[in-house]
Amino acid sequence: MFDQKDFLLLSEYSPEEIAALLDLAAELKEMKRNGEPHALLAGKTLGMIFEKASTRTRVSFEVGMYDLGGHALLLSPRDMQLGRGEPIEDTARVLSRYLDGIMIRTFEQEKVEQLARWSSIPVINGLTDFAHPCQVMADLLTIREHKGRLAGLTLCYVGDGFNVANSLIAGCVKTGMKVRMACPSGYEPDPDLMAWAAEEGDFLCTPDVMAAAAGADVLYTDVWASMGQEDEAAAREKAFAGYQINQAVVAAAAPGAMVLHDLPAHKGEEITFEVFEAHAREIFDQAENRLHAQKAILVKLMGN
Ligand code: CP
């Protein structure tokens, strides 16, 4: 059962739909590893709109479409009329006549929602200030590969309650994971999402890093200042001092705890160099899994 048109927020997906995406991602990963052709999107074109910089999202979507026998087209707002004020509803209707799907990375969640409302083709959220659902699908795939399951595990996120944190709450609660957020006061995740998580799952948000990390199976962090917050860097350095995954935090977690980071990392700030390198295999598996998780999303939304 999979009748979603778009991929905008994990909170809109059922646990069964998320599980189906993860199963397909694992299957597609195996096929790629074995060199088995899987041209499930032959002749299809994905438009990619990037209003923020990207390495992983850009490359993994482009390679993903190539692997699936399709084509990806980079649409820079600098070169599009969208960047000169053409309304999103007109852009959506025009692109729907040429393309089979759109991936967009932008600032406002509302812009992605509006693009999806006016498009007759699937729209995929490649990151907004509110959510990063593609990242979290790769995160869940990585945890499942390393730990053999998701339900019942505890994930502790240390740092800024921004887009990645919001999507982690949705993805982890939907898959039966316990969530512990360690965020400084004023930098907590979305309040509505936290209220939902407290009702639906096992959820805690605290300013105390060690309390959040105690017994966790997965530790996760992100940069202190995300794209678009560069002019807040000095204030954030002060607010986030101590919100770091270091040896003491790893020691507080469960034995054999994984450490994840969505990248790029600022080593020495949100994570120490030593912890990053000790867990580099998990972190780069996580980066690789962007490719496999997104291929599953593309096939589910754009496949026949
Ligand atoms: N994690 C992530 O979204 O990476 P990019 O910004 O490089 O796409």
Side-chain angles (χ1 to χ4, degrees):
M1 168 73 183
F2 196 94
D3 57 6
Q4 297 273 356
K5 172 187 165 279
D6 305 301
F7 188 75
L8 307 184
L9 289 170
L10 282 177
S11 54
E12 295 169 345
Y13 273 62
S14 69
E16 292 75 22
E17 286 168 331
I18 293 173
L21 282 171
L22 293 173
D23 290 345
L24 179 58
E27 215 176 298
L28 293 169
K29 183 170 183 174
E30 196 59 22
M31 291 174 93
K32 184 168 169 89
R33 285 265 159 92
N34 295 336
E36 288 172 47
H38 47 286
L40 300 166
L41 296 183
K44 305 236 168 155
T45 302
L46 176 77
M48 305 188 298
I49 303 174
F50 281 98
E51 295 190 330
K52 291 182 178 182
S54 169
T55 296
R56 280 144 288 271
T57 307
R58 158 83 201 274
V59 177
S60 54
F61 268 107
E62 189 157 343
V63 172
M65 282 303 292
Y66 176 82
D67 283 354
L68 293 166
H71 176 63
L73 193 63
L74 180 66
L75 302 169
S76 160
R78 271 189 309 279
D79 307 324
M80 289 172 76
Q81 300 291 6
L82 182 64
R84 296 180 58 244
E86 183 167 14
I88 197 109
E89 59 269 29
D90 295 353
T91 304
R93 284 178 285 185
V94 169
L95 294 181
S96 295
R97 302 291 181 110
Y98 302 139
L99 302 169
D100 301 287
I102 304 170
M103 191 287 306
I104 178 166
R105 166 169 287 198
T106 187
F107 294 85
E108 309 89 352
Q109 180 69 22
E110 174 49 29
K111 194 167 187 176
V112 176
E113 307 275 348
Q114 201 187 352
L115 185 68
R117 262 197 309 279
W118 286 93
S119 296
S120 58
I121 55 174
V123 172
I124 298 171
N125 180 355
L127 178 144
T128 62
D129 288 349
F130 185 77
H132 199 356
C134 291
Q135 176 66 54
V136 170
M137 289 305 297
D139 303 340
L140 295 173
L141 183 62
T142 311
I143 297 166
R144 203 175 76 159
E145 284 174 354
H146 280 258
K147 296 286 184 192
R149 67 192 168 105
L150 294 172
L153 296 178
T154 301
L155 179 137
C156 165
Y157 174 90
V158 177
D160 192 9
F162 197 49
N163 44 19
V164 170
N166 284 338
S167 290
L168 276 171
I169 293 172
C172 291
V173 169
K174 292 267 179 179
T175 53
M177 293 180 73
K178 301 171 197 167
V179 183
R180 306 285 177 257
M181 292 267 147
C183 308
S185 174
Y187 295 93
E188 294 91 352
D190 179 73
D192 292 341
L193 203 50
M194 289 200 291
W196 168 83
E199 189 135 313
E200 292 291 318
D202 187 335
F203 176 80
L204 172 80
C205 183
T206 167
D208 186 337
V209 175
M210 296 308 273
D217 302 291
V218 184
L219 296 170
Y220 195 122
T221 190
D222 192 6
V223 290
W224 291 344
S226 295
M227 285 180 283
Q229 299 169 334
E230 291 79 6
D231 52 359
E232 297 173 31
R236 282 173 168 269
E237 242 173 70
K238 225 184 247 177
F240 284 92
Y243 286 83
Q244 180 188 65
I245 298 186
N246 51 37
Q247 272 313 336
V249 175
V250 172
M258 295 175 70
V259 176
L260 297 179
H261 193 306
D262 54 296
L263 302 175
H266 289 180
K267 296 170 212 172
E269 293 186 2
E270 74 277 3
I271 190 167
T272 60
F273 181 86
E274 293 72 23
V275 171
F276 184 95
E277 289 305 329
H279 292 270
R281 184 169 152 249
E282 292 149 20
I283 292 168
F284 291 104
D285 281 351
Q286 178 189 11
E288 178 191 330
N289 281 338
R290 293 293 304 275
L291 172 66
H292 310 298
Q294 287 159 197
K295 281 167 70 177
I297 296 165
L298 291 166
V299 169
K300 285 283 188 192
L301 297 184
M302 290 166 58
N304 294 322

